[in-house]
Amino acid sequence: MDHTKVILDRDYQIAPVDPRIFGGFLEHIGRAVYEGVYDPQSKQADENGYRKDVLSSLEQLRFTAMRYPGGNFASGYHWLDGVGPQSSRPVLKELASLSIESNQFGTDEFIRLARKMNWTPMIAVNLGTGTPEEACNWVEYCNRPIGTKYSNLRAGNGSAEPYDVKLWGLGNEMDGPWQQGHVPANQYAIHAQQAAKLMKDTDPSIELVVCGSAEIGLPTYMEWDRTVLEYIGDYADFISLHRYVGNLNGDTADYLAVTNSFDQQIEVMDGLCRYVQAKARSRKRYYLAFDEWNVWYRTQNVESVNGHGKFAQHLVEEEYNLEDALVVAGFLNSFIRHADVVKIANLAQIVNVIAPILTRGDQILLQSIYYPLELYARRREGMALQAIVRGPGYESKNYGFVQTIDASAILGDGVLHTFLVNRSATEPATVEIAPAGIRLKSVLSAELVTGPSAGACNTFDQPDTIHNQKLANINLIDQKATFQLPPLSIAAISFGIDDKA
Ligand code: AHR
C-alpha cells in the first residue's frame, strides 16, 4: 500500500480529551520567569511588569494547567520568601541552578498572571528541603477564606478572595540523585503522605500529583512508582511522568520513531497504577500527569544549568528545528491517543528555557515547536477517537516499527479534528481520511507546518523559516478526504460534520 488510510469510527471512542493535557510549565530557572514572562525593565512590560509580547504569543497556545514554581527549583523553595512587599523579599542563593533568586516574582504574581492568561494554576510544593507543614501552609495561603494566619497574610498581600488552587504537586523528581533532598522511595512516600494529609485536611477539594519516576533510565524506574503508590494510597490522584528526548545520534528517521516509546511509557505506567489499585482492592483509580515533556538534548549538561551565582542567566535555551516540531506533535498525538489515562500534561517549558518562545532584549522569537502547539491549541475540545492507521512504515533502530504517518483525532461538536505527522524526510505522503459513522461535510480549516529540512530553524535574523501555512487541495469526495502531506510535515485538519451520519 503506497498511501496511508486513517480510519476514524464514531463508535471507537477513547475518552473525552481533558483540556489539562495542553498545560505548560513555568519554573524559576534561567530566564523563564525574569526576562521571560516578567520583565519590568523591558519596553514590552505592562503596568505589572509582565511582558506583553510574550503573553500575547503565549495566549495563542491556550495553555491550561500551568505548573509552577519548578521543577528542581521547587525542592529548595520556601514560598514565604516570595510573598509580601517586593522590597522586603530576600535575595537568595538558588541551588538547583546555582543562581541568584530575587524573589520579585512569587505566588501572588504567578496567580495574577494565571488569571490574566486563563491558566489553571498547578503548584509543586517543596518536599526536598521543605516540610509537610510548610506545604500545608501554602495551601492555606492560597485556598482558605480569610480568618486564619496564612489566609490573612494573603489578604494583607492584596487578595481577600482565595486563589482556589486545585492542583498541587507533591514535590519534584524526588527519585533523582540531582534533586535537593533526594531520598529513597520509602522515605519520599512517608514524606509525601504526611504532606498530602495535611494539605487535603486544609482543603479537601484539592487534587494531588505524587512524584513518579523522573526518567525511564533510572535504576529505580517502576519500583519507585510502585513503592510510592502503595504507600500513599488514596491520597494521590495522579502520578507524574517526565520525558525529555532528542536526536542524539543524528538519525532523523530513528528520532521521529521515538513516539512509540511515549505510548509505551504511558501504557506501562497505567499498567502499574492498575496493578497497585487491584492489589489494594481499592476503588481509587490513579491517573497520569505527564507534567514535564519536551525535546531537550543540546543543552542537557551540567554547564547548561549552572548560573555561576548570577541572576537570570541564559540557561538551557535550546534552539529547536523542524524535526523537533514533529516530535512535539508526536507527544501530543500520544496524549490524545491515551486520553483515557493521561489527564494532565505540561510542556516544559513556556519561555526561554527549553521553550517555544525566546526573548532577546525587547525582541521575541517563535521557535519551530511553537507552531504545532498552536495548531493543536485551536482544535482540542471533544472526544478522542481511535485512529486506525494503515499504510507504509519502517523499522527504526531503537523504537521498533512505526508507520510513516502518526495520527490522532478528536471528535467535537459538529467537527472532526485530525492531526497527522509525515515522518518521511524524502517522500510526500498521500493520506486518506476514511470516516465511519461520521459524515464529512466540509473542510473548516487545514494547516500545515513544514520547512526546507529536518534541521531548519527560526532565528532572530530569519524568524519565519518554520511557520504555519494553509494546506490546500483537500479532495472531499464520497465521504472520504484525500490530500498530500509534504515530507517532514505536521497537518491539522478540521472537518465540518453532520451530527448524525
Ligand atoms: O525542566 C527543566 C528541569 O528538568 C526541571 O527543573 C526538572 O524537574 C527536570 O529535570
Side-chain angles (χ1 to χ4, degrees), residues 25 27 29 67 70-73 96 172-173 178-179 214-215 242 244 292 296 300 305 316 348-349 353-354:
F25 176 28
E27 177 169 18
I29 172 176
R67 187 166 177 251
N72 296 336
F73 175 83
N172 176 68
E173 296 190 344
W178 59 86
Q179 202 66 211
E215 289 178 8
H242 288 184
Y244 294 105
E292 284 187 34
W296 179 20
Q300 204 177 53
V305 286
V316 282
Q349 298 192 11
V353 170
I354 40 173

Side-chain angles (χ1 to χ4, degrees), residues 5 38 52 70 111 163 189 222 232 283 319 336 435 462 498:
K5 188 169 175 178
Y38 183 74
K52 287 184 281 189
I111 296 290
Y163 291 152
M222 285 286 112
I232 198 161
R283 296 169 64 101
E319 289 173 10
I336 294 168
Q462 289 194 305
D498 273 340

Side-chain angles (χ1 to χ4, degrees), residues 1 136 224 241-242 273 291-292 297 309 384 444 454:
M1 183 186 258
C136 122
W224 167 280
L241 292 79
H242 288 184
C273 291
D291 62 14
E292 284 187 34
Y297 67 108
L444 298 176

Side-chain angles (χ1 to χ4, degrees), residues 67 85 102 180-181 196 224 269 273-274 351 389 427 460 466 499:
R67 187 166 177 251
S102 69
Q180 300 172 77
W224 167 280
M269 185 63 88
C273 291
R274 289 170 194 253
V351 54
V389 180
E427 302 303 318
F460 280 95
I466 315 284
D499 274 339

Side-chain angles (χ1 to χ4, degrees), residues 29 96-99 296 298-310 313-317:
I29 172 176
S97 56
L98 304 176
S99 303
W296 179 20
R298 302 169 180 91
T299 57
Q300 204 177 53
N301 51 59
V302 174
E303 197 42 38
S304 295
V305 286
N306 186 344
H308 293 282
K310 296 191 189 135
Q313 296 299 289
H314 288 255
L315 303 183
V316 282
E317 300 198 358

